[in-house]
Amino acid sequence: MPAEPRLLAGARLAVTTFTTLPVRAGRIDRPVAGTAMALAPVVGALLGALLTGVLLLTGALAPPLVAAGVTVGVAALLTRGLHLDGLADTVDALGSYRRGAAALEIMKKPDVGPFGVVALVVVLLVQAAALADLAGRSWPACLAAVVAATAAGRLGVTVACRRGVPAARPDGLGALVAGTVGPVALAVGAVAVVLLAVPAVPGRPWQGPLAVVTAVAVALGLLNHVVRRLGGITGDVLGATVEVVTTLVYLGLVLSG
């Protein structure tokens, strides 16, 4: 039986990594993992379109903040809560002020420490509050905003998996995907997400792209810090990157002035 084409296998892996959609994973190796991480923003955009539908439909029946809370819950459900778990574990490890193996050991613990709890509360509150504001915009602007934010969150993963970034452990998701994304795929993904953000803020076509660029820049700084502290990236770090970038883009889209 011929081997599955890398693009198809990468698409399968991207969907199974970033969503709970019932898609069977196919061939898995580092080239396929690189394709999957390059396609991560595409999966994020599709997820964002689905979440926009949830937000607008629920908003037609309930107050905006309730609709936003439901949408945040659905987002966690559709991603198994893995990104939120990664955020809590990563923040706990960084908050411990330990380095290397000692910090990685903290990330493995099943409990969530105070730093992780605060990070989760802040991220979920900001996302819900931003979505409540976005629900009041025209549906095209709302769609563009949610799609851009969720795609940007997954673009953060593409950035984290670029060539030259090592894995913190010799096994696990980090080892499979670290350093697998080339500059061309990264540039294409970044330009696509920036363009998606243009219609997100009516009358201010620059604000959406600026929010994306700023969030990714912050993620780059965070990733550099993580690599210095942990020695590289892990699956938890990728999850944390998704949530940090998504939240910062939402915040940038609702700022006024």
Side-chain angles (χ1 to χ4, degrees):
M1 185 174 180
E4 186 176 32
R6 188 169 82 177
L7 181 60
L8 179 57
R12 285 176 179 269
L13 182 59
V15 172
T16 58
T17 300
F18 295 106
T19 76
T20 57
L21 295 179
V23 176
R24 290 189 303 171
R27 164 189 159 204
I28 299 179
D29 52 33
R30 279 183 60 80
V32 168
T35 300
M37 297 304 103
L39 292 174
V42 178
V43 177
L46 295 174
L47 180 63
L50 179 59
L51 293 176
T52 304
V54 173
L55 178 64
L56 295 179
L57 288 174
T58 309
L61 303 171
L65 189 55
V66 174
V70 170
T71 304
V72 169
V74 171
L77 179 65
L78 291 176
T79 57
R80 304 184 191 91
L82 291 178
H83 305 324
L84 292 169
D85 179 68
L87 173 68
D89 288 343
T90 300
V91 172
D92 277 339
L94 295 177
S96 72
Y97 294 102
R98 297 182 184 179
R99 293 179 174 271
L104 291 172
E105 191 60 33
I106 290 174
M107 296 176 78
K108 285 185 176 181
K109 292 183 177 180
D111 58 323
V112 179
F115 285 111
V117 171
V118 171
L120 289 175
V121 169
V122 171
V123 160
L124 292 174
L125 281 176
V126 171
Q127 289 186 9
L131 284 167
D133 180 87
L134 295 174
R137 298 182 182 179
S138 66
W139 74 261
C142 181
L143 175 64
V146 179
V147 166
T150 52
R154 280 71 187 171
L155 175 64
V157 172
T158 307
V159 171
C161 295
R162 70 192 186 280
R163 289 175 188 166
V165 179
R169 299 189 182 100
D171 54 8
L173 179 61
L176 177 65
V177 302
T180 59
V181 177
V184 174
L186 178 57
V188 170
V191 170
V193 175
V194 166
L195 291 176
L196 284 173
V198 170
V201 184
R204 308 177 86 177
W206 52 266
Q207 186 167 341
L210 179 60
V212 171
V213 171
T214 302
V216 172
V218 172
L220 279 169
L222 174 62
L223 288 166
N224 288 336
H225 179 63
V226 167
V227 170
R228 287 196 301 270
R229 289 283 302 278
L230 305 181
I233 63 170
T234 67
D236 281 334
V237 170
L238 298 181
T241 303
V242 169
E243 294 297 341
V244 168
V245 174
T246 301
T247 303
L248 289 176
V249 172
Y250 276 138
L251 180 61
L253 293 175
V254 298
L255 292 177
S256 60

